[in-house]
Amino acid sequence: MHFFIPSRVADHITLTLVLLASAFVLRWIGELLLTRLSDPALLRRRRFTLRTVCNMVLAVALLAIWLSEIHDMLLSLTAVIVAMVVAAKELIMCAAGSMLRLSGHLFKVGDRIEFAGIHGEVMDHGLFSTTIMELPSTHHGHAGTGRTVMLPNSVFLTGAVRVEAQPRHYAPHRFTLTLETPVPPRDAVEAIEAAAEATLSADRDLAARFHQFAARKSGVEIAGPATEVMVGTTEFGKLQFHVVIYCLVKDARAHEQAITLEALSALGIGAAAPKPAEARAWAEIARQLRESAGKARDVAAA
């Protein structure tokens, strides 16, 4: 087997060997001359100076010989590193997203998060990906859909992640009640507040204690535990009531329905079932109209 060495590299190797041999010989001659000194301390200092000078000269000479080769090697190494970084960019971003999650304590297994329209419960997370169980929106319950979503950790570098309260935790729940039928706003507010009090009175004490604990732990003011009702209007002039209740997350939808139904019933809003006499009268009118239409068609045909 024949090994091909470029002539330039061969010349550099030859110069390096000659340089090493020359440095060894000169250092040996210098130490031989220094042995004639009678002072041991001076001898050690001179030997140290000789060794340092020889090493520095040798290093500078080798650098001058191999500078062009080192330059080419660095360029090749830089190109390889750039290619590796470009090829592994997604993996690097995933690892950076994982470090962001760990250092920022964004979420943990069991937390419910929402990111870029994806809502789910964290099932597992690793260095490169996070697996969540898909959940419907908060207005459609809290049971899982049975599907899992695997997210690359790089997405956590490009958007905000919202961590939601756990189903068995108390949290503010907001919903809007729009009324088509004109009613006195004060009566509507009183009806909504009364319905909320009747619905939430059983858990009021526990909710108040949890609210105090959560506010103290987070260090910020949290809506609740009292019910808030704010009056507004739509762009068409309809009355809107923005309601904020403080309840268990898993029961929020049921409480919203109960409060809405109770308030509408108290305000007398809703289509009442027609009385039997009225129903018969409307049926008779419809029959007469059909008969009149049939006679008109017969006359037109004759």
Side-chain angles (χ1 to χ4, degrees):
M1 183 179 293
H2 299 283
F3 295 95
F4 175 74
I5 300 178
S7 59
R8 187 177 64 176
V9 176
D11 294 340
H12 290 170
I13 293 176
T14 302
L15 289 175
T16 300
L17 294 176
V18 171
L19 182 63
L20 291 175
S22 302
F24 176 77
V25 171
L26 291 176
R27 180 176 173 181
W28 178 77
I29 294 174
E31 290 187 354
L32 184 63
L33 295 175
L34 291 176
T35 54
R36 299 179 181 180
L37 297 176
S38 57
D39 189 355
L42 181 60
L43 177 61
R44 288 194 298 270
R45 288 196 298 270
R46 294 292 173 83
R47 281 181 174 178
F48 173 76
T49 303
L50 176 63
R51 186 168 58 251
T52 303
V53 171
C54 290
N55 290 337
M56 291 182 61
V57 172
L58 182 62
V60 172
L62 290 175
L63 181 62
I65 293 173
W66 293 96
L67 182 61
S68 60
E69 302 298 332
I70 294 173
H71 182 266
D72 295 340
M73 184 180 65
L74 290 177
L75 288 179
S76 301
L77 183 61
T78 302
V80 170
I81 292 175
V82 170
M84 291 178 61
V85 170
V86 171
K89 181 183 69 173
E90 290 298 328
L91 294 179
I92 295 174
M93 292 183 64
C94 288
S98 179
M99 294 299 296
L100 174 64
R101 178 185 55 77
L102 290 175
S103 61
H105 304 285
L106 295 183
F107 53 83
K108 60 184 181 298
V109 173
D111 286 348
R112 299 194 169 198
I113 64 173
E114 184 175 351
F115 174 82
I118 301 175
H119 180 221
E121 181 175 335
V122 179
M123 305 298 294
D124 187 24
H125 56 73
L127 181 61
F128 300 111
S129 65
T130 297
T131 303
I132 66 174
M133 179 181 66
E134 188 181 42
L135 298 173
S137 63
T138 54
H139 297 288
H140 294 85
H142 296 276
T145 62
R147 296 180 297 186
T148 58
V149 181
M150 182 173 291
L151 298 173
N153 289 337
S154 59
V155 300
F156 300 133
L157 299 174
T158 60
V161 180
R162 186 175 70 179
V163 181
E164 298 182 354
Q166 296 300 307
R168 297 186 179 275
H169 290 177
Y170 287 87
H173 176 69
R174 295 172 170 83
F175 64 93
T176 301
L177 181 60
T178 303
L179 299 182
E180 293 286 340
T181 305
V183 296
R186 190 178 300 276
D187 294 344
V189 171
E190 292 176 355
I192 294 173
E193 291 178 345
E197 180 63 27
T199 304
L200 304 174
S201 59
D203 294 335
R204 184 69 71 187
D205 294 338
L206 184 59
R209 290 196 297 269
F210 189 90
H211 175 267
Q212 184 179 6
F213 168 77
R216 184 170 60 250
K217 182 179 179 180
S218 62
V220 296
E221 189 66 24
I222 302 175
T227 301
E228 299 179 9
V229 182
M230 292 159 285
V231 184
T233 57
T234 66
E235 58 182 357
F236 302 108
K238 304 298 183 180
L239 281 176
Q240 270 191 338
F241 299 90
H242 305 280
V243 185
V244 181
I245 60 176
Y246 194 77
C247 61
L248 284 174
V249 174
K250 65 183 183 65
D251 297 333
R253 186 62 175 170
H255 289 331
E256 176 184 342
Q257 291 296 311
I259 293 171
T260 301
L261 293 175
E262 183 66 24
L264 293 179
S265 299
L267 294 172
I269 299 175
K275 297 180 180 180
E278 294 179 356
R280 288 194 297 269
W282 283 110
E284 181 65 22
I285 293 174
R287 185 184 63 80
Q288 293 176 3
L289 290 174
R290 288 195 298 270
E291 291 178 355
S292 300
K295 291 179 180 180
R297 286 195 301 269
D298 294 340
V299 172

